[in-house]
Amino acid sequence: MKKTVNIIIRHIVLALLALIWLIPIIWLVVTSLSAYKGVNYAHFFPTEWSLDNFKQLFFRPDTAANFPAWFKNSMIIGVFTCIVSSCFVLMVSYAFSCMRFKARKPLMSFSIILGMFPGVLSMIAVYFVLKLLGLTDSLAGLVFVYSAASGLGFLICKGFFDTIPISLREAAKLEGASEFTIFSKIVIPLSKPMIVYTVINAFLNPWMDFVMARLMIKSKNSADWTVAIGLYNLLQRSLIGDYFSVFCAGGVIVAIPISILFIIMQKFYVEGITGGAVKG
Amino acid sequence: MKKILDWLKKYFVDFGKSVAKGDIWTKLSLVVMGAGYIGRKQIVKGILITLLEVIIILAEIFVTGPYMLKLNTLGTVQREEILDLTTLTKTVNDYDNSLLILLYGVIGILVAVAFVLLYISNVKAVYRLQKMKENGEHINSFVEDVKSLFDGKFYITLLTLPSLGVILMNIIPIIFMICIAFTNYDQNHQPPTYLFTWVGFKNFVSLFTSGTTVTFGYAFVRILAWTLIWAVLATFTTFIGGILLAQFINHQNTKCKKMWRTLFIITIAIPQFVTLLLISKMFGNYGIVNTICSNIGLTDFLHNIGLVSSSLDYIPFLSKPGWAHVMIILINIWVGVPYQMLIATGILMNIPTDQLESARIDGANKFQIFWKITMPYILFIMGPSLVTSVINNINNFNVIYLLTTGYTTTNMAFANSNAKETDLLITWLFTLTNDYSNYKMAAVIGIVTFVICAAITLLSYTRMISGDKEEEYQ
């Protein structure tokens, strides 16, 4: 008897907690379905429901809300960043985990020190470097910004490579395989979960990011923006009254694919992060 | 430190030895870098290296050279437009651009340093080659050299591009910003119209002093204190909350563990800029939460007990200091707990069960088990990542910036230095550059932030790693 009460209370508490955590998301979804365009201050649920916000998002882009262009830009940036930075992470991890050379230890500690500089500090100067290369306000520039330094994020992946038995590589070497063959034919196929993790992470990074895009995109033309910048801009004081529920609709559209990827990734996430943490 | 000095000494002694004992080819490669290779029949490699030498020297002389010469003053000729009255066309004089001088100067110096290192190791390599020849060893042909880039020296192939990216994206920008901290680059000295120049430690001094108009010292101390309080509180609340939630969900009596976990995880899956902006609107002065609070009479109650001044007809969740600080930490719990829960779940599943069992047999109760076994175990594994998360929180831009977009300070001392009470060092830095073009102070703040982060890491790592606890759980 006491145990059943305990179980019931336990689930009620959990349900309450889950509700607290989901309230903003519920609000996001219901507001995106509201017929009223501004912020609804009086009621939690909209008084009139409609799908018009989604229609406006996709089929009636205007200068303030050009969602198709933003989505396309973010998609292009996401895909290219994903390719480049996954390659970089895997390459650096293999070099640091499986090969032994004189500069290995110093390079590893150096990259940890580099990681300690606040990102925003260097970002301002990155803008000047991009200007020098003529890449500001371009998709290529943003891909460069997101992926160039991604090699520094090797720790988790290296932790995974460290767990691949050394005997496998030695056996291959005895058979006359070069390091390149070992890398492409043995280590890569063995680390599928890690690659899935790295790829999804690299793809999500530009979608989730706000600061970098904010600093790098100075263009006033809304067709040059990414989803993050565009949606943020909709909440400007002059626009919020007409576009708040459109903002919410955009948020929902962005959140759906990301949530799906994230839920796929959650298993790797737990393994990946703890695996890396244990080994430092 | 001593190790580095010894290494440096050996480095240059080796160089001297190579030069002194080298034969004609080795000595010739002091001038033409590829000569040593050509002399040993490695023609292609020799030509490539000589070509590289020529390109670097030409670039140094013609591209970065003119800028490097002006590095000491950062330019002297200010931009002037002269209007020719007869043709009504404007001509611009041959002006100096301090920004380009500094940027190209930094790049030029980096290239020069790299070149010197390359030069020295080249001479050593050529000397090694000479010795190999004397001993009658096999000397690689060009094809063999390329092959070794995919075998024994595969790490060079792997690391070249990523390192280049890091140099462009991290190293050059960081050096550049450190230099900016020692100049007067701000809204009044913006190239190309105006010049800026070196001012020594003046910016650091003004960060720590405060007068009547310039109040950086005043704002800095308060923002630093809030940054540290925030980092510690944000880390520990989400950490403890995450572990408790993970424990709660993992308990044997909980049904549908996976579903509960997924419900919480949805909140991290949605981009922060969406959820945080949304929450900031919910808690706005006339937002939905305020409507609900005044409907249920909470606003009146707070008026009565004096927590909200009676001149306001709303609860200033995110618009008054104090209130905003507490709300930010609470909202951060919302943001951070699911993430910590995810990590803690992974760790809790791997906890050694024999320890838990033997504790239970010895008669320990649930709380004793949690505090004496579970917590130390989690701390042992998560310790290093706890330090990183304190540092991440010091640099936690999103939460603060997106939640306080509508916040305006009423404190003149803060406003004079473009800061507000809820700012972290990092958001202050961002506002200074993005809105006020005050690059010099932003750079100084960035350096201070780095020093703080580095100090925390060094202190805690030596503490945590130096102890002989490493094998406790093996």
Side-chain angles (χ1 to χ4, degrees):
Chain A
M1 189 57 214
K2 202 183 155 206
K3 207 183 159 200
T4 12
V5 174
N6 184 321
I7 292 178
I8 292 170
I9 293 177
R10 179 173 286 276
H11 285 84
I12 290 175
V13 172
L14 259 182
L16 278 178
L17 282 176
L19 185 69
I20 294 177
W21 255 266
L22 289 178
I23 280 177
I25 287 143
I26 297 170
W27 201 53
L28 179 77
V29 175
V30 296
T31 314
S32 72
L33 293 169
S34 158
Y36 176 62
K37 296 283 180 197
V39 191
N40 191 341
Y41 293 115
H43 305 282
F44 186 86
F45 290 100
T47 37
E48 264 179 82
W49 303 76
S50 106
L51 280 170
D52 186 58
N53 298 318
F54 290 95
K55 276 188 215 147
Q56 183 180 349
L57 212 53
F58 284 107
F59 304 114
R60 280 183 279 132
D62 52 33
T63 46
N66 195 348
F67 194 76
W70 303 340
F71 200 84
K72 195 189 83 202
N73 288 345
S74 283
M75 199 50 143
I76 294 172
I77 294 172
V79 168
F80 280 97
T81 307
C82 173
I83 296 169
V84 177
S85 59
S86 309
C87 290
F88 276 14
V89 168
L90 291 175
M91 281 154 73
V92 174
S93 305
Y94 183 81
F96 282 154
S97 165
C98 305
M99 301 196 70
R100 292 290 175 270
F101 47 97
K102 246 199 297 178
R104 193 178 78 102
K105 277 265 162 73
L107 273 181
M108 275 167 65
S109 6
F110 184 64
S111 54
I112 289 171
I113 296 174
L114 265 187
M116 261 186 272
F117 275 96
V120 176
L121 168 71
S122 53
M123 268 181 241
I124 303 146
V126 167
Y127 180 73
F128 295 127
V129 174
L130 278 193
K131 225 174 176 176
L132 195 77
L133 298 171
L135 287 176
T136 44
D137 282 331
S138 71
L139 297 184
L142 273 175
V143 172
F144 172 80
V145 167
Y146 287 123
S147 51
S150 58
L152 288 179
F154 61 84
L155 266 184
I156 291 173
C157 190
K158 178 189 171 282
F160 186 89
F161 283 177
D162 284 344
T163 61
I164 295 174
I166 195 166
S167 52
L168 272 178
R169 281 186 281 127
E170 273 168 1
K173 229 175 245 172
L174 284 179
E175 304 275 330
S178 69
E179 289 282 349
F180 177 71
T181 326
I182 297 176
F183 176 60
S184 55
K185 296 267 164 67
I186 296 180
V187 173
I188 294 289
L190 274 178
S191 9
K192 271 198 195 112
M194 200 60 227
I195 292 172
V196 174
Y197 168 79
T198 317
V199 166
I200 297 185
N201 222 5
F203 180 74
L204 288 188
N205 186 27
W207 284 92
M208 303 273 215
D209 171 76
F210 168 77
V211 206
M212 289 273 205
R214 179 82 205 277
L215 270 170
M216 296 308 148
I217 300 182
K218 303 272 181 196
S219 164
K220 293 271 182 281
N221 178 3
S222 64
D224 296 339
W225 295 344
T226 64
V227 170
I229 300 301
L231 290 181
Y232 176 82
N233 199 54
L234 286 185
L235 293 191
Q236 266 182 7
R237 212 156 273 167
S238 55
L239 293 177
I240 189 167
D242 298 321
Y243 286 100
F244 185 70
S245 47
V246 180
F247 164 84
C248 290
V252 171
I253 296 291
V254 176
I256 290 170
I258 296 182
S259 304
I260 294 170
L261 282 181
F262 212 89
I263 288 167
I264 298 173
M265 192 176 66
Q266 94 167 259
K267 199 178 98 217
F268 306 118
Y269 222 82
V270 174
E271 287 165 5
I273 285 177
T274 49
V278 175
K279 277 157 218 103
Chain B
M1 200 63 219
K2 197 168 168 287
K3 246 164 97 184
I4 297 173
L5 282 179
D6 281 350
W7 180 82
L8 269 180
K9 204 171 127 195
K10 191 172 168 292
Y11 189 79
F12 285 107
V13 168
D14 278 355
F15 174 62
K17 232 192 262 166
S18 308
V19 175
K21 291 191 185 163
D23 63 0
I24 176 71
W25 289 112
T26 311
K27 289 212 167 76
L28 199 61
S29 55
L30 281 174
V31 188
V32 181
M33 277 168 70
Y37 300 105
I38 294 170
R40 322 280 173 224
K41 305 216 166 52
Q42 291 188 317
I43 312 250
V44 184
K45 196 176 177 185
I47 292 173
L48 282 179
I49 288 195
T50 316
L51 218 77
L52 185 71
E53 183 193 7
V54 173
I55 291 174
I56 291 180
I57 290 177
L58 284 181
E60 283 283 298
I61 292 174
F62 292 107
V63 183
T64 59
Y67 293 104
M68 283 164 81
L69 286 178
K70 293 179 189 158
L71 258 185
N72 58 337
T73 58
L74 290 178
T76 45
V77 188
Q78 191 164 322
R79 184 187 150 104
E80 272 168 29
E81 281 179 353
I82 303 153
L83 186 65
D84 192 333
L85 282 174
T86 49
T87 56
L88 284 178
T89 46
K90 279 182 186 170
T91 46
V92 178
N93 63 338
D94 186 20
Y95 63 96
D96 288 334
N97 185 336
S98 307
L99 198 65
L100 287 184
I101 293 174
L102 190 57
L103 199 53
Y104 276 110
V106 166
I107 295 172
I109 289 174
L110 278 184
V111 172
V113 170
F115 180 69
V116 170
L117 291 179
L118 181 78
Y119 181 81
I120 292 177
S121 40
N122 181 59
V123 172
K124 282 194 218 166
V126 169
Y127 178 62
R128 237 182 341 235
L129 214 58
Q130 174 193 339
K131 269 199 160 163
M132 280 166 81
K133 177 105 183 181
E134 281 162 12
N135 297 341
E137 285 170 41
H138 170 72
I139 291 174
N140 278 352
S141 71
F142 184 66
V143 178
E144 284 168 323
D145 268 336
V146 172
K147 260 190 193 152
S148 84
L149 279 180
F150 287 91
D151 192 11
K153 287 189 172 151
F154 190 39
Y155 62 90
I156 297 180
T157 322
L158 287 175
L159 290 178
T160 308
L161 271 180
S163 320
L164 203 68
V166 169
I167 289 171
L168 273 176
M169 235 330 257
N170 276 23
I171 296 178
I172 290 178
I174 286 172
I175 296 176
F176 181 76
M177 278 321 273
I178 290 174
C179 292
I180 293 280
F182 298 95
T183 68
N184 59 357
Y185 182 19
D186 56 19
Q187 60 270 50
N188 299 324
H189 299 87
Q190 292 225 55
T193 330
Y194 296 99
L195 300 165
F196 61 82
T197 186
W198 301 108
V199 292
F201 283 92
K202 214 175 119 205
N203 300 325
F204 288 86
V205 174
S206 65
L207 186 66
F208 295 105
T209 52
S210 63
T212 43
T213 49
V214 180
T215 50
F216 278 102
Y218 177 90
F220 174 70
V221 176
R222 279 158 188 79
I223 288 179
L224 178 64
W226 163 235
T227 306
L228 294 178
I229 293 171
W230 148 263
V232 171
L233 276 181
T235 307
F236 284 93
T237 49
T238 53
F239 178 68
I240 305 244
I243 290 172
L244 289 178
L245 187 64
Q247 276 273 37
F248 205 78
I249 293 179
N250 268 4
H251 195 274
Q252 60 205 18
N253 286 348
T254 311
K255 302 275 178 311
C256 322
K257 296 189 172 84
K258 227 174 172 179
M259 180 201 80
W260 293 114
R261 228 171 270 146
T262 312
L263 280 184
F264 285 98
I265 285 165
I266 289 174
T267 56
I268 9 176
I270 296 179
Q272 280 192 353
F273 66 88
V274 174
T275 48
L276 288 175
L277 284 171
L278 199 76
I279 291 175
S280 81
K281 291 293 170 262
M282 285 177 83
F283 286 97
N285 285 347
Y286 296 101
I288 181 93
V289 178
N290 255 313
T291 315
I292 293 169
C293 283
S294 87
N295 283 347
I296 62 169
L298 189 66
T299 316
D300 288 333
F301 174 71
L302 290 173
H303 276 150
N304 289 341
I305 60 169
L307 264 174
V308 175
S309 88
S310 49
S311 58
L312 299 172
D313 57 349
Y314 53 82
I315 306 173
F317 284 113
L318 288 169
S319 55
K320 283 270 173 295
W323 274 100
H325 290 123
V326 174
M327 281 312 294
I328 287 171
I329 289 183
L330 287 180
I331 294 172
N332 185 65
I333 292 178
W334 185 90
V335 172
V337 160
Y339 186 72
Q340 290 289 345
M341 188 243 346
L342 202 58
I343 299 172
T345 307
I347 296 171
L348 284 176
M349 284 175 176
N350 296 326
I351 221 167
T353 43
D354 49 339
Q355 288 196 14
L356 294 177
E357 244 159 64
S358 52
R360 216 169 285 142
I361 290 166
D362 286 347
N365 64 30
K366 268 189 224 154
F367 287 98
Q368 280 171 324
I369 293 178
F370 182 72
W371 287 111
K372 296 274 158 74
I373 294 176
T374 314
M375 271 311 264
Y377 178 78
I378 292 175
L379 273 179
F380 170 76
I381 292 189
M382 301 264 293
S385 77
L386 215 55
V387 177
T388 1
S389 88
V390 169
I391 287 173
N392 285 342
N393 274 321
I394 289 180
N395 294 326
N396 195 335
F397 179 86
N398 275 349
V399 172
I400 304 279
Y401 185 79
L402 295 176
L403 282 180
T404 59
T405 41
Y407 185 100
T408 40
T409 182
T410 47
N411 184 338
M412 277 320 287
F414 272 108
N416 276 341
S417 43
N418 309 125
K420 47 192 183 192
E421 286 91 342
T422 50
D423 264 339
L424 300 182
L425 288 172
I426 201 83
T427 52
W428 189 23
L429 187 162
F430 182 84
T431 333
L432 281 176
T433 50
N434 204 42
D435 302 343
Y436 298 96
S437 307
N438 194 344
Y439 297 99
K440 54 173 191 184
M441 291 314 284
V444 176
I445 293 167
I447 292 174
V448 171
T449 316
F450 167 73
V451 170
I452 293 169
C453 293
I456 292 175
T457 319
L458 285 179
L459 277 178
S460 51
Y461 266 83
T462 42
R463 265 273 157 94
M464 247 183 281
I465 293 168
S466 65
D468 44 7
K469 279 184 172 174
E470 228 178 357
E471 285 163 6
E472 203 163 275
Y473 289 101
Q474 282 178 1

